[in-house]
Amino acid sequence: MVADGSQQNAEVNIPAMWFGSFANVGDGDRWQSILPSNITLRISSLECSVNTPTTINFNSVGRNTQTGAELASISLPLNTTCGQPNDQINANINLQFRALTGIYEGVPSRLALTQGGGYITGEIDNGVTGSGLCNATTGLPFDNTQLKVGSITSAESSKSLTNQVTWRLCSGGVISLQVKWTRLPRCW
């Protein structure tokens, strides 16, 4: 779907959609429903913005080679403001985070550092996420998971939500090198 910002508040019924593949002979035709007929698309004027620092400076940190050790943390504001000037609706207000640098060792709540050697975790207060401690896996997920920070009702034309997000810089441990010893033949 493509929207250009000029859409009006509406509810649009989307017709059923089918995929078809047709053969030269009648018994080779195939078709499959890919979209049921009972879908209603809701277009609203609800618009939200998020205000939080996009750069995190942990300053200088000490070296710690213990895997999962917290090297530094910082708490920053996370403000979400929504408005719906007309035809107000009830809606959840969700945030999503996407890792640009990748996920650390396949754990969605660990943001990989581009330099390697560690990761960053996040935790949003008020029960939005679980613990963002370095050794936990319940913090802020960086895989586009929707996180509900609040809701807005049809009686509200605007809503502001204030949270804190705590970012932690975590050690990935030390990389150990395995050296395989080989006995060399004696030379005389």
Side-chain angles (χ1 to χ4, degrees):
M1 291 183 211
V2 177
D4 64 8
S6 65
Q7 287 70 26
Q8 301 296 316
N9 293 342
E11 286 194 7
V12 179
N13 291 322
I14 299 177
M17 292 189 189
W18 297 79
F19 172 80
S21 174
F22 303 99
N24 288 334
V25 292
D27 63 348
D29 292 352
R30 300 285 182 258
W31 58 90
Q32 176 68 44
S33 172
I34 58 172
L35 193 61
S37 61
N38 59 352
I39 292 182
T40 301
L41 177 65
R42 181 175 64 182
I43 303 168
S44 80
S45 63
L46 178 62
E47 186 174 326
C48 297
S49 63
V50 178
N51 185 7
T52 191
T54 56
T55 304
I56 303 166
N57 184 354
F58 289 106
N59 295 312
S60 296
V61 297
R63 181 173 184 248
N64 188 333
T65 58
Q66 179 184 348
T67 302
E70 183 177 307
L71 303 175
S73 70
I74 187 169
S75 289
L76 299 170
L78 176 68
N79 300 312
T80 308
T81 305
C82 298
Q84 47 183 352
N86 49 40
D87 293 329
Q88 296 156 345
I89 62 170
N90 295 321
N92 289 331
I93 300 170
N94 301 315
L95 299 180
Q96 294 173 269
F97 291 80
R98 178 173 47 100
L100 297 177
T101 57
I103 301 295
Y104 184 79
E105 293 186 346
V107 180
S109 61
R110 296 179 181 172
L111 178 65
L113 298 175
T114 54
Q115 303 86 354
Y119 54 94
I120 293 174
T121 64
E123 176 180 340
I124 301 176
D125 68 351
N126 298 327
V128 174
T129 67
S131 172
L133 292 174
C134 290
N135 57 2
T137 58
T138 56
L140 192 154
F142 297 98
D143 63 355
N144 281 333
T145 298
Q146 291 187 11
L147 302 169
K148 183 179 176 184
V149 293
S151 61
I152 190 167
T153 69
S154 59
E156 298 172 301
S157 60
S158 65
K159 182 86 170 246
S160 293
L161 303 163
T162 301
N163 294 88
Q164 285 289 114
V165 59
T166 300
W167 299 107
R168 290 180 176 87
L169 178 62
C170 307
S171 173
V174 65
I175 299 172
S176 62
L177 298 176
Q178 292 183 348
V179 177
K180 185 175 182 180
W181 292 94
T182 304
R183 184 175 291 235
L184 296 174
R186 289 187 182 176
C187 296
W188 298 103

